[in-house]
Amino acid sequence: MDEEFTELVESDPIHLVITERKLKCLLNGNGNFSLSTLPTTTQDPQLSTLLTTTTDGRLYCPRVFDGWSCWNETPAGQTTYEPCPFFVLGFDPNRFAHKQCLKDGSWFRHPETNASWSNYTTCVDVEDLAKRWTVMTIQEIGYIISICALIISLIIFCSFRCLECTRVRIHKHLFVSFIINNILWIAWYRAVVKEPGVMNEPTNGVWCITLHIILQYFLVANYFWMFCEGFYLHTLIVFTFARAEGKLLIGFYIFGWLGPIIPICLYAICRSLDPIENVRCWATQQSAYNWFLSVPVCICLVSSLIFLINILRILLHKLHDNHRRNPNQTIRRESGVTPDHNNQNAIRKVWFVSFVSQ
């Protein structure tokens, strides 16, 4: 039993903090010690209260540990205050919780549960929480609108065979990745972010970690398919007569759907092996292993920007060449001479391809 408890403490830093606070409370209320210096026999997670006797004749409520904070002996009829626990997500450690000692020397009990109750409601910044909930609600509405628009676009692409081409196939896969990612974000907000009990669990649920990994996979897949869009447009403009669209499409399928697996696996393995990071359903944004995901995403974005700059350079070069070959185009139009429609149509096609591909 002692070995199991030691393994649990070492694998869960939040449990370690709670255990040290509990033992500190049971020893002397304000002593300094390290959990590793205590005998194994004292590492009992079930201990929670320590009755005390006083010699001054006054009635006191006994020292108690409520699971988060230590409440020292308090004279009857008074209220004691403790800083809000820093390890509880959503609590402001600069605020104070309080606990009321009744006149009979017992701690206040909640009327609904009849259990000793500490008031942590003041630890939450209600105004800030309301703003955060409003922002999350707006984000959910945005995701729903985006899902509806993307589904309509997919229906249009699938309904008209005249639109069937490599470019539209890439659009379809990009839209599917967006739809799934938006659905997963809504599920993440509803099942994890808006559920404080899930966020503050001492151990991570398998479903919670799985949802996080799948969400991050489709998020990275979004950027990979954006890269495929830019790469195809660049190929279409630069290598007009030297492209095998069938091979390109197969390469896009592999890169867009299988490519994100590599950074996601590295991210999941490293974070699961780190006891400091493997907490709270991996919901913390400031993870030391986020660079496994951010680096490939940044590479895709920078590459897409380079493609865009080169495409604009080519289009401007073509327009400049066309203008140089027809310096008197305006005079010829005024004199009734028919302009060279072949050159104009060529330029229009280039701009049309650029617009549709975006």
Side-chain angles (χ1 to χ4, degrees):
M1 180 66 183
D2 293 335
E3 293 180 357
E4 294 179 358
F5 175 71
T6 303
E7 292 178 358
L8 176 61
V9 168
E10 292 177 351
S11 62
D12 188 351
I14 297 180
H15 191 87
L16 172 62
V17 171
I18 294 176
T19 303
E20 289 191 351
R21 291 165 69 99
K22 178 186 297 183
L23 293 177
K24 175 182 175 180
C25 179
L26 297 179
L27 288 178
N28 54 15
N30 57 6
N32 295 320
F33 71 99
S34 174
L35 182 63
S36 59
T37 62
L38 292 176
T40 305
T41 54
T42 64
Q43 298 178 3
D44 185 359
Q46 302 299 327
L47 294 176
S48 59
T49 61
L50 183 65
L51 296 177
T52 59
T53 57
T54 59
T55 58
D56 59 359
R58 299 179 62 185
L59 192 60
Y60 283 77
C61 287
R63 186 191 312 163
V64 62
F65 184 80
D66 62 2
W68 282 343
S69 302
C70 178
W71 304 92
N72 287 321
E73 298 85 348
T74 304
Q78 295 187 12
T79 300
T80 182
Y81 296 85
E82 288 292 332
C84 297
F86 65 90
F87 51 85
V88 178
L89 198 63
F91 279 11
D92 184 357
N94 296 319
R95 291 170 173 261
F96 289 88
H98 62 271
K99 193 174 184 68
Q100 183 179 4
C101 180
L102 302 179
K103 293 182 179 180
D104 61 357
S106 63
W107 292 108
F108 172 79
R109 293 180 176 273
H110 197 281
E112 295 183 1
T113 62
N114 197 33
S116 179
W117 184 68
S118 307
N119 193 341
Y120 288 96
T121 58
T122 54
C123 292
V124 180
D125 189 338
V126 179
E127 294 183 359
D128 180 70
L129 181 63
K131 292 179 181 178
R132 292 178 181 271
W133 276 70
T134 301
V135 171
M136 285 190 290
T137 303
I138 294 174
Q139 288 177 327
E140 290 181 2
I141 294 174
Y143 286 134
I144 293 173
I145 295 174
S146 177
I147 291 171
C148 294
L150 291 168
I151 291 176
I152 293 173
S153 300
L154 278 179
I155 293 174
I156 294 174
F157 283 149
C158 295
S159 300
F160 298 94
R161 291 195 174 185
C162 60
L163 298 176
E164 191 67 22
C165 62
T166 302
R167 182 179 65 254
V168 173
R169 291 193 185 99
I170 297 175
H171 289 341
K172 289 179 181 178
H173 286 271
L174 176 63
F175 290 175
V176 169
S177 68
F178 273 124
I179 291 173
I180 299 176
N181 185 64
N182 291 348
I183 293 174
L184 290 174
W185 272 117
I186 295 175
W188 179 258
Y189 283 140
R190 297 286 180 86
V192 178
V193 178
K194 290 187 176 181
E195 293 293 335
V198 175
M199 298 286 285
N200 290 311
E201 284 182 356
T203 57
N204 298 316
V206 176
W207 69 269
C208 185
I209 299 299
T210 304
L211 177 60
H212 175 84
I213 293 175
I214 296 175
L215 171 62
Q216 298 302 318
Y217 165 79
F218 280 99
L219 180 63
V220 176
N222 289 163
Y223 293 96
F224 275 46
W225 277 106
M226 289 180 191
F227 172 85
C228 293
E229 289 269 6
F231 182 79
Y232 178 72
L233 175 60
H234 185 265
T235 304
L236 196 67
I237 299 298
V238 177
F239 306 104
T240 308
F241 303 104
R243 65 177 187 274
E245 294 193 359
K247 294 181 179 179
L248 276 177
L249 197 56
I250 295 175
F252 291 153
Y253 292 157
I254 296 174
F255 181 80
W257 292 121
L258 300 182
I261 293 178
I262 298 175
I264 288 296
C265 288
L266 294 174
Y267 168 78
I269 293 173
C270 292
R271 188 160 188 178
S272 63
L273 297 177
D274 190 338
I276 298 178
E277 296 283 351
N278 190 22
V279 294
R280 290 176 177 170
C281 271
W282 297 7
T284 53
Q285 300 296 328
Q286 295 80 16
S287 172
Y289 302 101
N290 282 344
W291 65 271
F292 282 113
L293 308 178
S294 58
V295 168
V297 167
C298 290
I299 292 175
C300 290
L301 291 176
V302 172
S303 300
S304 299
L305 179 61
I306 294 174
F307 292 152
L308 176 61
I309 294 174
N310 195 37
I311 289 170
L312 292 176
R313 181 187 64 80
I314 294 173
L315 292 177
L316 292 175
H317 180 71
K318 289 181 179 293
L319 289 174
H320 179 72
D321 287 348
N322 181 68
H323 178 72
R324 186 173 55 187
R325 288 195 299 266
N326 301 277
N328 300 321
Q329 188 174 13
T330 304
I331 299 176
R332 290 167 58 190
R333 185 182 296 112
E334 291 177 355
S335 62
V337 179
T338 303
D340 189 351
H341 290 284
N342 292 330
N343 289 333
Q344 290 186 357
N345 290 334
I347 299 301
R348 289 171 182 170
K349 288 180 180 179
V350 172
W351 279 107
F352 176 75
V353 170
S354 176
F355 174 76
V356 174
S357 298
Q358 290 294 333

